[in-house]
PDB file of all heavy atoms in Angstrom:
ATOM      1  N   ALA A 136     -37.995  20.373  -6.986  1.00 98.00           N
ATOM      2  CA  ALA A 136     -36.622  20.683  -7.380  1.00 98.00           C
ATOM      3  C   ALA A 136     -35.827  19.396  -7.391  1.00 98.00           C
ATOM      4  O   ALA A 136     -36.134  18.461  -6.639  1.00 98.00           O
ATOM      5  CB  ALA A 136     -35.992  21.700  -6.430  1.00 98.00           C
ATOM      6  N   TRP A 137     -34.824  19.340  -8.237  1.00 98.00           N
ATOM      7  CA  TRP A 137     -34.012  18.126  -8.289  1.00 98.00           C
ATOM      8  C   TRP A 137     -32.571  18.441  -8.693  1.00 98.00           C
ATOM      9  O   TRP A 137     -32.275  19.502  -9.246  1.00 98.00           O
ATOM     10  CB  TRP A 137     -34.610  17.107  -9.250  1.00 98.00           C
ATOM     11  CG  TRP A 137     -34.767  17.545 -10.679  1.00 98.00           C
ATOM     12  CD1 TRP A 137     -33.843  17.473 -11.690  1.00 98.00           C
ATOM     13  CD2 TRP A 137     -35.936  18.137 -11.257  1.00 98.00           C
ATOM     14  NE1 TRP A 137     -34.368  17.968 -12.862  1.00 98.00           N
ATOM     15  CE2 TRP A 137     -35.647  18.380 -12.628  1.00 98.00           C
ATOM     16  CE3 TRP A 137     -37.204  18.481 -10.762  1.00 98.00           C
ATOM     17  CZ2 TRP A 137     -36.583  18.957 -13.497  1.00 98.00           C
ATOM     18  CZ3 TRP A 137     -38.123  19.060 -11.626  1.00 98.00           C
ATOM     19  CH2 TRP A 137     -37.807  19.282 -12.977  1.00 98.00           C
ATOM     20  N   ALA A 138     -31.700  17.504  -8.399  1.00 98.00           N
ATOM     21  CA  ALA A 138     -30.296  17.586  -8.791  1.00 98.00           C
ATOM     22  C   ALA A 138     -29.854  16.191  -9.211  1.00 98.00           C
ATOM     23  O   ALA A 138     -30.351  15.188  -8.685  1.00 98.00           O
ATOM     24  CB  ALA A 138     -29.440  18.092  -7.635  1.00 98.00           C
ATOM     25  N   HIS A 139     -28.913  16.130 -10.152  1.00 98.00           N
ATOM     26  CA  HIS A 139     -28.437  14.813 -10.566  1.00 98.00           C
ATOM     27  C   HIS A 139     -26.982  14.884 -11.006  1.00 98.00           C
ATOM     28  O   HIS A 139     -26.474  15.943 -11.406  1.00 98.00           O
ATOM     29  CB  HIS A 139     -29.316  14.249 -11.690  1.00 98.00           C
ATOM     30  CG  HIS A 139     -28.822  14.568 -13.075  1.00 98.00           C
ATOM     31  ND1 HIS A 139     -28.995  15.802 -13.646  1.00 98.00           N
ATOM     32  CD2 HIS A 139     -28.146  13.816 -13.990  1.00 98.00           C
ATOM     33  CE1 HIS A 139     -28.470  15.810 -14.861  1.00 98.00           C
ATOM     34  NE2 HIS A 139     -27.940  14.614 -15.098  1.00 98.00           N
ATOM     35  N   CYS A 140     -26.331  13.730 -10.924  1.00 98.00           N
ATOM     36  CA  CYS A 140     -24.969  13.555 -11.406  1.00 98.00           C
ATOM     37  C   CYS A 140     -24.862  12.143 -11.969  1.00 98.00           C
ATOM     38  O   CYS A 140     -25.259  11.179 -11.316  1.00 98.00           O
ATOM     39  CB  CYS A 140     -23.952  13.762 -10.287  1.00 98.00           C
ATOM     40  SG  CYS A 140     -22.235  13.472 -10.803  1.00 98.00           S
ATOM     41  N   GLY A 141     -24.318  12.007 -13.179  1.00 96.00           N
ATOM     42  CA  GLY A 141     -24.184  10.695 -13.798  1.00 96.00           C
ATOM     43  C   GLY A 141     -25.222  10.481 -14.875  1.00 96.00           C
ATOM     44  O   GLY A 141     -25.709  11.436 -15.491  1.00 96.00           O
ATOM     45  N   ASP A 142     -25.575   9.208 -15.095  1.00 95.00           N
ATOM     46  CA  ASP A 142     -26.537   8.920 -16.167  1.00 95.00           C
ATOM     47  C   ASP A 142     -27.831   8.293 -15.665  1.00 95.00           C
ATOM     48  O   ASP A 142     -28.607   7.779 -16.474  1.00 95.00           O
ATOM     49  CB  ASP A 142     -25.902   8.018 -17.239  1.00 95.00           C
ATOM     50  CG  ASP A 142     -25.555   6.631 -16.729  1.00 95.00           C
ATOM     51  OD1 ASP A 142     -25.619   6.397 -15.491  1.00 95.00           O
ATOM     52  OD2 ASP A 142     -25.210   5.773 -17.557  1.00 95.00           O
ATOM     53  N   SER A 143     -28.068   8.320 -14.372  1.00 97.00           N
ATOM     54  CA  SER A 143     -29.427   8.046 -13.903  1.00 97.00           C
ATOM     55  C   SER A 143     -30.245   9.298 -14.201  1.00 97.00           C
ATOM     56  O   SER A 143     -29.726  10.417 -14.161  1.00 97.00           O
ATOM     57  CB  SER A 143     -29.454   7.734 -12.411  1.00 97.00           C
ATOM     58  OG  SER A 143     -28.765   6.523 -12.160  1.00 97.00           O
ATOM     59  N   ARG A 144     -31.520   9.119 -14.497  1.00 97.00           N
ATOM     60  CA  ARG A 144     -32.306  10.231 -15.033  1.00 97.00           C
ATOM     61  C   ARG A 144     -33.513  10.591 -14.174  1.00 97.00           C
ATOM     62  O   ARG A 144     -33.999   9.787 -13.392  1.00 97.00           O
ATOM     63  CB  ARG A 144     -32.810   9.894 -16.441  1.00 97.00           C
ATOM     64  CG  ARG A 144     -31.728   9.789 -17.482  1.00 97.00           C
ATOM     65  CD  ARG A 144     -32.317   9.504 -18.848  1.00 97.00           C
ATOM     66  NE  ARG A 144     -31.285   9.394 -19.875  1.00 97.00           N
ATOM     67  CZ  ARG A 144     -31.522   9.113 -21.149  1.00 97.00           C
ATOM     68  NH1 ARG A 144     -32.768   8.920 -21.573  1.00 97.00           N
ATOM     69  NH2 ARG A 144     -30.529   9.030 -22.005  1.00 97.00           N
ATOM     70  N   ILE A 145     -33.985  11.817 -14.392  1.00 98.00           N
ATOM     71  CA  ILE A 145     -35.290  12.224 -13.894  1.00 98.00           C
ATOM     72  C   ILE A 145     -36.070  12.810 -15.066  1.00 98.00           C
ATOM     73  O   ILE A 145     -35.533  13.596 -15.859  1.00 98.00           O
ATOM     74  CB  ILE A 145     -35.185  13.240 -12.734  1.00 98.00           C
ATOM     75  CG1 ILE A 145     -36.588  13.655 -12.267  1.00 98.00           C
ATOM     76  CG2 ILE A 145     -34.333  14.441 -13.098  1.00 98.00           C
ATOM     77  CD1 ILE A 145     -36.594  14.404 -10.945  1.00 98.00           C
ATOM     78  N   TYR A 146     -37.314  12.358 -15.193  1.00 98.00           N
ATOM     79  CA  TYR A 146     -38.229  12.846 -16.220  1.00 98.00           C
ATOM     80  C   TYR A 146     -39.378  13.591 -15.543  1.00 98.00           C
ATOM     81  O   TYR A 146     -39.868  13.156 -14.506  1.00 98.00           O
ATOM     82  CB  TYR A 146     -38.831  11.686 -17.018  1.00 98.00           C
ATOM     83  CG  TYR A 146     -37.872  10.868 -17.841  1.00 98.00           C
ATOM     84  CD1 TYR A 146     -37.151   9.828 -17.275  1.00 98.00           C
ATOM     85  CD2 TYR A 146     -37.712  11.109 -19.211  1.00 98.00           C
ATOM     86  CE1 TYR A 146     -36.281   9.054 -18.040  1.00 98.00           C
ATOM     87  CE2 TYR A 146     -36.859  10.336 -19.976  1.00 98.00           C
ATOM     88  CZ  TYR A 146     -36.145   9.316 -19.393  1.00 98.00           C
ATOM     89  OH  TYR A 146     -35.298   8.545 -20.156  1.00 98.00           O
ATOM     90  N   HIS A 147     -39.812  14.690 -16.170  1.00 98.00           N
ATOM     91  CA  HIS A 147     -41.016  15.392 -15.738  1.00 98.00           C
ATOM     92  C   HIS A 147     -41.992  15.381 -16.902  1.00 98.00           C
ATOM     93  O   HIS A 147     -41.677  15.876 -17.997  1.00 98.00           O
ATOM     94  CB  HIS A 147     -40.702  16.831 -15.327  1.00 98.00           C
ATOM     95  CG  HIS A 147     -41.914  17.651 -15.040  1.00 98.00           C
ATOM     96  ND1 HIS A 147     -41.973  19.023 -15.260  1.00 98.00           N
ATOM     97  CD2 HIS A 147     -43.148  17.310 -14.557  1.00 98.00           C
ATOM     98  CE1 HIS A 147     -43.159  19.476 -14.925  1.00 98.00           C
ATOM     99  NE2 HIS A 147     -43.903  18.455 -14.501  1.00 98.00           N
ATOM    100  N   VAL A 148     -43.171  14.812 -16.675  1.00 98.00           N
ATOM    101  CA  VAL A 148     -44.202  14.717 -17.703  1.00 98.00           C
ATOM    102  C   VAL A 148     -45.391  15.580 -17.289  1.00 98.00           C
ATOM    103  O   VAL A 148     -45.846  15.510 -16.136  1.00 98.00           O
ATOM    104  CB  VAL A 148     -44.641  13.252 -17.907  1.00 98.00           C
ATOM    105  CG1 VAL A 148     -45.827  13.172 -18.866  1.00 98.00           C
ATOM    106  CG2 VAL A 148     -43.476  12.419 -18.419  1.00 98.00           C
ATOM    107  N   ARG A 149     -45.888  16.398 -18.225  1.00 97.00           N
ATOM    108  CA  ARG A 149     -47.045  17.263 -17.960  1.00 97.00           C
ATOM    109  C   ARG A 149     -47.914  17.329 -19.225  1.00 97.00           C
ATOM    110  O   ARG A 149     -47.398  17.543 -20.313  1.00 97.00           O
ATOM    111  CB  ARG A 149     -46.588  18.656 -17.555  1.00 97.00           C
ATOM    112  CG  ARG A 149     -47.713  19.676 -17.459  1.00 97.00           C
ATOM    113  CD  ARG A 149     -47.224  21.029 -16.978  1.00 97.00           C
ATOM    114  NE  ARG A 149     -46.979  21.032 -15.538  1.00 97.00           N
ATOM    115  CZ  ARG A 149     -46.577  22.115 -14.866  1.00 97.00           C
ATOM    116  NH1 ARG A 149     -46.366  23.256 -15.495  1.00 97.00           N
ATOM    117  NH2 ARG A 149     -46.382  22.055 -13.552  1.00 97.00           N
ATOM    118  N   HIS A 150     -49.223  17.165 -19.037  1.00 95.00           N
ATOM    119  CA  HIS A 150     -50.180  17.253 -20.153  1.00 95.00           C
ATOM    120  C   HIS A 150     -49.817  16.310 -21.297  1.00 95.00           C
ATOM    121  O   HIS A 150     -49.958  16.658 -22.470  1.00 95.00           O
ATOM    122  CB  HIS A 150     -50.274  18.693 -20.678  1.00 95.00           C
ATOM    123  CG  HIS A 150     -50.659  19.704 -19.646  1.00 95.00           C
ATOM    124  ND1 HIS A 150     -51.694  19.496 -18.738  1.00 95.00           N
ATOM    125  CD2 HIS A 150     -50.144  20.932 -19.373  1.00 95.00           C
ATOM    126  CE1 HIS A 150     -51.801  20.565 -17.957  1.00 95.00           C
ATOM    127  NE2 HIS A 150     -50.880  21.438 -18.313  1.00 95.00           N
TER     128      HIS A 150
END
Side-chain angles (χ1 to χ4, degrees):
W137 59 87
H139 92 283
C140 177
D142 66 350
S143 294
R144 293 182 180 178
I145 179 167
Y146 295 84
H147 173 211
V148 174
R149 172 177 283 182
H150 303 315

